[in-house]
Amino acid sequence: MILTGILSVLTLKTLLMILGGTIVGIIVGSVPGLTVTMGVALFLPITFGMSPVEGLSLLMALYIGGTSGGLISAILLKIPGTPASIATTFDGAPMAARGEAGRALGIGIVFSFIGGMLSLVVLFTLSPFLADVALQFGPFEYFSIALFSLTLVAGLSGNSLLRGTIAAVLGVSVALVGMAPITGFPRLTFGISELDAGISLLPALIGLFAISQVLDYAEGDTDGAVSAEELKRHPIRGFGLSLQETLGQTWNALRSSAIGVAIGILPGLGAAVCNIIAYGAARKASKTPEKFGTGIIDGIVASESSNNASTGGAMVPLMTLGIPGDNTTAILLAGFMIHGITPGPLLFDNDAVLVYGIFTALVVANVAMLGALFFGLPFFVKVLAVPRNILLPVIVSLCVIGAYAINNRMFDVWTMLAFGLVGYAMKKARLPTTPLLLGFILAPIIETNLRRGLQKSQDSFLPFLTEPISGTILVMTLIVVIYTLWAQLGLRRHKRAQPVAEARRREA
């Protein structure tokens, strides 16, 4: 059955569809506002007339390609193509600004492939066990893990924890707009009916990172982001990194991939969360955390390993339990149902050939992604040499199209522009935008599961502490907060003592 499943994918027609789907996915992922979910949903009707293996292979290829494609605009334009590539901008864009765009893209491509393949190994070997673990997570555990994720604000706040905290609180406040979870009571809508559903993540993301960056670029005097001469000084050789550098990132890639798989398995979190968490974990584990954000390969490795690893993680509950791990796998579930296939525990027994065909399609799609991005490297880098008076209007047009296409309403375009002004003002005030986005993403998860947990426990907070998994995570959260505050106080004492010590040395 394994051999039959593999051979069912290794036909010319299926391989061409996987290659084409991967390329289309990369294009969709690289355009701000055009999400992976949107790309898979658009191609879902096309699979009606295909065989199950062909149709699902095409959808899997779009999923893999779309998740990876976000690194292109994240590195070249400092604009994440998808929420999964937010953290890639932190170090990818500074490398591109130094003329090392090809190297940054190469690093991202290689570790996107590594993260994706590691997650597939987990999917192939540990799916039933991991699905059982994921079933142990209820509202108490989801609340605790989301609260723990908020501690990453310290690592994403730069030199000022206060500024990062202010930005995170602003993000949480924005997330409160709209209908309250569970009760459905409208909050902070001010009579505007469009706000009843809350503020969508993608228009906010495009505004914070794309429009604010366009406004920032528009202030510059140069015609191009990077001169052609600067690009020539850093020619692309292979993927831009040596074997020694690759091996040096082994632990970072393994840790980040594990985070991606773990977050991907838990329904409702997804790649938008895991890439930021993996970046924060890499920064905390680094011996030189001050270099993060200046163009260090560790940051790109962490982000791209984790977001691509989340694809395999999200497939675990889908294949073994029939539960989608994120929005895109919800569309993939519809793809299964269209062909009369019901994912779940019996899928591995009743349709093993299809299961192994899907596994093979995922592997082939990752290889196709590696090849497509590698051969496109020289063309991607040329974007940096395009004059800004041509490039910026194109970016804004794509952003408007992407924001409008999410829900087909102009309100999302105005939301995008408003967040663009907010992001621009935050840059001028030296407030980091990433903690705002982190608070915006995590606040609904925290609030929803807090309410569910309190309903389940009849308004008692005790189970949040007494449940083993939840209690352990909350203790870890407390330890991290205490350690962060202690480290910040120690850093302030060190800075205050430096002038005194320098004066004493001069006197001596």
Side-chain angles (χ1 to χ4, degrees):
M1 285 189 293
I2 294 174
L3 183 61
T4 306
I6 293 172
L7 292 176
S8 67
V9 173
L10 300 182
T11 65
L12 180 61
K13 182 180 178 182
T14 308
L15 290 175
L16 287 175
M17 281 198 296
I18 291 175
L19 178 61
T22 305
I23 293 171
V24 172
I26 290 170
I27 295 170
V28 169
S30 64
V31 177
L34 299 184
T35 63
V36 187
T37 306
M38 189 185 300
V40 175
L42 288 173
F43 277 80
L44 187 61
I46 297 175
T47 66
F48 287 175
M50 299 180 183
S51 68
V53 170
E54 292 173 351
L56 291 172
S57 295
L58 174 61
L59 297 178
M60 297 297 169
L62 287 161
Y63 185 27
I64 298 297
T67 305
S68 306
L71 69 89
I72 297 172
S73 55
I75 291 171
L76 297 180
L77 304 174
K78 204 177 180 180
I79 301 169
T82 65
S85 54
I86 294 168
T88 307
T89 62
F90 302 159
D91 287 286
M95 286 186 71
R98 294 200 302 259
E100 299 180 35
R103 184 165 184 260
L105 286 168
I107 292 165
I109 293 166
V110 168
F111 285 95
S112 292
F113 174 75
I114 291 173
M117 294 302 289
L118 287 174
S119 73
L120 294 184
V121 171
V122 174
L123 175 64
F124 299 163
T125 57
L126 301 175
S127 290
F129 169 74
L130 292 175
D132 289 340
V133 172
L135 284 177
Q136 304 301 315
F137 277 69
F140 306 120
E141 289 75 20
Y142 275 108
F143 168 81
S144 300
I145 198 168
L147 193 65
F148 176 77
S149 300
L150 266 182
T151 61
L152 291 172
V153 167
L156 301 171
S157 301
N159 297 324
S160 175
L161 180 59
L162 177 61
R163 287 194 177 96
T165 305
I166 291 171
V169 170
L170 181 60
V172 171
S173 303
V174 170
L176 296 177
V177 175
M179 295 289 186
I182 312 299
T183 62
F185 188 81
R187 305 175 302 191
L188 304 173
T189 57
F190 305 104
I192 302 172
S193 59
E194 287 88 348
L195 286 175
D196 287 343
I199 295 173
S200 300
L201 171 62
L202 280 165
L205 173 68
I206 297 168
L208 281 174
F209 285 91
I211 301 300
S212 66
Q213 190 63 35
V214 167
L215 293 173
D216 199 38
Y217 279 152
E219 281 189 318
D221 297 327
T222 56
D223 292 331
V226 178
S227 66
E229 292 75 15
E230 187 68 24
L231 291 174
K232 288 177 182 178
R233 290 196 204 103
H234 301 90
I236 305 170
R237 296 185 180 89
F239 284 104
L241 74 168
S242 64
L243 179 61
Q244 185 178 359
E245 286 177 314
T246 306
L247 295 175
Q249 294 295 324
T250 301
W251 174 237
N252 186 8
L254 288 173
R255 179 184 58 246
S256 302
S257 298
I259 291 171
V261 170
I263 297 295
I265 289 171
L266 300 175
L269 297 181
V273 177
C274 75
N275 74 103
I276 300 175
I277 292 177
Y279 184 88
R283 191 177 187 277
K284 286 188 175 181
S286 175
K287 295 178 181 178
T288 55
E290 69 279 357
K291 291 185 178 179
F292 278 73
T294 63
I296 184 173
I297 67 171
D298 303 54
I300 301 175
V301 170
S303 177
E304 289 303 317
S305 298
S306 62
N307 62 25
N308 282 269
S310 71
T311 58
M315 292 296 296
V316 170
L318 176 67
M319 299 282 286
T320 58
L321 301 172
I323 299 172
D326 56 16
N327 292 334
T328 309
T329 47
I331 305 298
L332 292 176
L333 176 61
F336 277 94
M337 304 299 284
I338 283 170
H339 293 283
I341 301 160
T342 305
L346 297 178
L347 179 64
F348 289 78
D349 294 329
N350 298 341
D351 217 336
V353 172
L354 177 65
V355 169
Y356 293 117
I358 291 171
F359 287 169
T360 306
L362 287 167
V363 173
V364 174
N366 272 278
V367 174
M369 175 270 294
L370 182 71
L373 286 173
F374 174 71
F375 286 110
L377 262 179
F379 304 102
F380 300 149
V381 175
K382 289 180 180 178
V383 171
L384 292 177
V386 176
R388 285 181 180 163
N389 60 344
I390 297 174
L391 186 63
L392 297 187
V394 173
I395 293 172
V396 172
S397 301
L398 292 174
C399 290
V400 170
I401 292 169
Y404 180 80
I406 295 164
N407 296 306
N408 293 327
R409 59 178 190 169
M410 278 302 296
F411 181 76
D412 287 327
V413 177
W414 301 126
T415 301
M416 175 196 72
L417 294 174
F419 272 88
L421 294 174
V422 169
Y424 181 70
M426 289 179 70
K427 284 185 179 182
K428 293 300 180 184
R430 294 187 298 161
L431 288 173
T433 53
T434 310
L436 184 152
L437 198 62
L438 189 64
F440 182 66
I441 293 171
L442 293 175
I445 300 170
I446 292 172
E447 183 184 9
T448 302
N449 288 288
L450 175 62
R451 286 172 176 257
R452 286 175 179 167
L454 290 173
Q455 285 182 332
K456 188 176 181 180
S457 63
Q458 296 181 342
D459 293 334
S460 172
F461 284 96
L462 199 58
F464 287 95
L465 298 171
T466 55
E467 289 290 328
I469 299 175
S470 176
T472 302
I473 296 172
L474 287 177
V475 169
M476 290 170 57
T477 303
L478 184 62
I479 292 171
V480 170
V481 169
I482 293 172
Y483 173 77
T484 301
L485 291 173
W486 181 263
Q488 286 282 329
L489 289 172
L491 184 62
R492 285 183 182 179
R493 290 195 199 100
H494 178 69
K495 286 182 176 179
R496 288 172 183 170
Q498 273 186 331
V500 177
E502 183 66 25
R504 286 177 180 172
R505 277 197 297 269
R506 288 177 182 174
E507 288 176 6

